[in-house]
Amino acid sequence: MLVKDLINHLEEIAPLNYAEDFDNVGLLVGDKNTTVTNVLVTLDTLEEVVDEAIAKKCNFILSFHPILFKGLKSLTGKNYVERTVLKAIKNNIAIYAIHTALDNDNNGVNAMMCNQLNLINQRILIPQKQTIKKLTTYVPVAEAETLRTALFNAGAGQIGNYKNCSFNVNGIGTYNATEKANPVIGVIGENHSEAETQLNITYAKHVEKSVLKALFETHSYDEVAYEVTTIENTNQNIGMGMIAELKTTQTETEFLHYLKEKMDISLIRHSKLSDRPVKKVAVLGGSGSFAINAAKAAGADAFVTSDLKYHDFFQAENAILLADIGHYESEQYTKSGLVAILTKKIPNFAFILSNTNTNPVKYF
């Protein structure tokens, strides 16, 4: 398997279209045409991780966090980022970062947190906007079914838990083919009226290339009339954070003990206890202060995240329990989750879980 083939599999799992604008995801180091030996899966790519890849004969590192986040103006080895990249290049090791593309995926980081906590009734906390497109096109009535099927096969027509969705209106299309045209129906220089179906179909933005390819390859007209618009409907399968429920209601103290046990952590920074029962829990792996209000609005009794600052805890306002478990700690099960997903998707290939602890935060 080539690097580019592996990337295709990774983008099926977590399309890069859904990564946040500030992020730097995808292939950061390496040649797409290189043959992949083994894949090392890690949370962060550091020099020690590259050394581990070398020792385990892996020439592809799948990293959650990107080692290259800001642009490099030189590559001299003066800091840990440059040293890591240089070592990877010298040893012909590719580095791919998946970061917020996986954060925003329905089966990604936050689902993995929910699963670790045995939470049920999981759903996206902050659905991502402008992820759904609508295609409108016009096709001869006799060809409408064929075109619809081709578009469905390309990934269009999925709305929540429903597939093969479309809206169709029959009418009359008119045109006059000029001398340079090559009309399938009608005669050059003559006005023509054709019974057509106006086909309206939605699709997730990451399949747009496949949908338009199917449109142009299937439609019989040499000039295809179509328009694409972005609609405001939220995508319930894409977005930041998740909200779910404990199987049984707990006290705040019981929940904090439960959280420590399930996430295998020894320290939790939390807001003031208010004797509220905990049933509905919001989670967001990594830095999640921006989602406090969303968690409250969703009716969460507790919000598990990391990197909360002093003043962030005031936002609890006795309405929610805020629990900061640490950045690394909140995302620690991501790499094993990725290995499980990839092993199931590509069973005859070696995905190796990195055993390097890359947490830069130590506790005394």
Side-chain angles (χ1 to χ4, degrees):
M1 180 165 53
L2 300 179
V3 167
K4 62 184 179 182
D5 300 322
L6 178 56
I7 289 175
N8 288 336
H9 286 299
L10 292 173
E11 292 197 20
E12 288 177 3
I13 294 170
L16 299 187
N17 306 67
Y18 302 124
E20 298 297 313
D21 292 339
F22 65 80
D23 205 5
N24 188 31
V25 291
L27 186 64
L28 306 183
V29 176
D31 183 349
K32 287 187 176 182
N33 294 309
T34 300
T35 299
V36 181
T37 54
N38 300 308
V39 178
L40 185 68
V41 184
T42 181
L43 198 62
D44 305 278
T45 303
L46 304 174
E47 285 185 85
E48 303 97 298
V49 174
V50 177
D51 289 333
E52 183 182 6
I54 295 169
K56 295 179 177 178
K57 298 183 175 9
C58 299
N59 69 343
F60 189 103
I61 295 175
L62 172 56
S63 180
F64 178 63
H65 293 125
I67 181 63
L68 292 173
F69 202 77
K70 298 179 180 179
L72 292 177
K73 293 186 177 181
S74 64
L75 197 54
T76 61
K78 63 179 177 293
N79 56 45
Y80 81 96
V81 174
E82 292 186 12
R83 289 191 296 272
T84 299
V85 173
L86 278 172
K87 181 170 286 190
I89 293 173
K90 288 178 181 178
N91 290 277
N92 297 314
I93 295 174
I95 301 174
Y96 183 99
I98 202 166
H99 204 205
T100 57
L102 190 64
D103 274 325
N104 279 315
D105 188 79
N106 196 39
N107 297 305
V109 178
N110 300 298
M112 295 170 189
M113 287 182 69
C114 286
N115 294 339
Q116 188 65 25
L117 292 172
N118 295 322
L119 300 181
I120 58 176
N121 301 325
Q122 302 172 18
R123 59 184 175 86
I124 296 293
L125 177 63
I126 308 175
Q128 195 176 89
K129 296 179 179 180
Q130 297 187 322
T131 64
I132 302 176
K133 304 270 191 156
K134 184 179 79 169
L135 169 68
T136 299
T137 190
Y138 307 85
V139 58
V141 172
E143 300 175 16
E145 181 60 31
T146 300
L147 180 58
R148 270 195 301 270
T149 300
L151 295 174
F152 292 153
N153 290 339
Q158 184 84 25
I159 301 177
N161 296 318
Y162 295 83
K163 64 179 183 178
N164 296 357
C165 303
S166 69
F167 184 77
N168 305 267
V169 180
N170 288 342
I172 301 296
T174 65
Y175 54 83
N176 186 311
T178 63
E179 292 181 359
K180 294 183 179 180
N182 184 29
V184 176
I185 303 173
V187 179
I188 290 176
E190 295 183 4
N191 290 333
H192 180 80
S193 297
E194 182 68 26
E196 294 181 334
T197 297
Q198 181 194 75
L199 173 59
N200 300 274
I201 190 166
T202 61
Y203 58 89
K205 69 177 182 180
H206 74 277
V207 299
E208 181 165 277
K209 184 176 179 180
S210 297
V211 169
L212 293 181
K213 183 173 184 287
L215 170 65
F216 298 134
E217 288 182 349
T218 309
H219 206 299
S220 64
Y221 287 176
D222 61 331
E223 293 285 354
V224 180
Y226 75 102
E227 61 179 312
V228 172
T229 55
T230 300
I231 61 179
E232 291 302 312
N233 301 55
T234 56
N235 189 333
Q236 63 189 28
N237 294 317
I238 298 293
M240 281 287 185
M242 297 201 91
I243 185 160
E245 295 177 354
L246 292 164
K247 293 180 180 178
T248 57
T249 302
Q250 301 178 6
T251 67
E252 289 174 317
T253 301
E254 286 172 339
F255 176 69
L256 291 174
H257 282 295
Y258 179 82
L259 186 56
K260 289 177 72 172
E261 175 190 351
K262 290 296 183 181
M263 297 302 290
D264 191 23
I265 53 179
S266 58
L267 177 69
I268 299 176
R269 298 165 63 235
H270 64 84
S271 58
K272 179 182 177 181
L273 301 183
S274 58
D275 295 325
R276 291 168 52 87
V278 177
K279 176 68 172 178
K280 189 176 289 188
V281 179
V283 304
L284 198 152
S287 303
S289 61
F290 67 90
I292 292 175
N293 288 333
K296 291 166 69 175
D301 303 307
F303 178 38
V304 182
T305 188
S306 72
D307 297 345
L308 298 183
K309 296 181 180 179
Y310 177 83
H311 289 93
D312 291 331
F313 287 97
F314 286 118
Q315 294 184 55
E317 298 182 297
N318 292 323
I320 192 171
L321 174 64
L322 302 178
D324 183 335
I325 64 173
H327 196 120
Y328 177 90
E329 289 79 4
S330 70
E331 298 172 338
Q332 63 181 304
Y333 298 106
T334 301
K335 59 182 183 180
S336 57
L338 270 172
V339 169
I341 292 171
L342 286 165
T343 300
K344 183 177 181 180
K345 185 175 181 60
I346 317 173
N348 298 320
F349 201 80
F351 295 97
I352 300 172
L353 184 66
S354 172
N355 57 21
T356 301
N357 186 328
T358 59
N359 190 359
V361 181
K362 308 301 177 185
Y363 304 100
F364 182 71

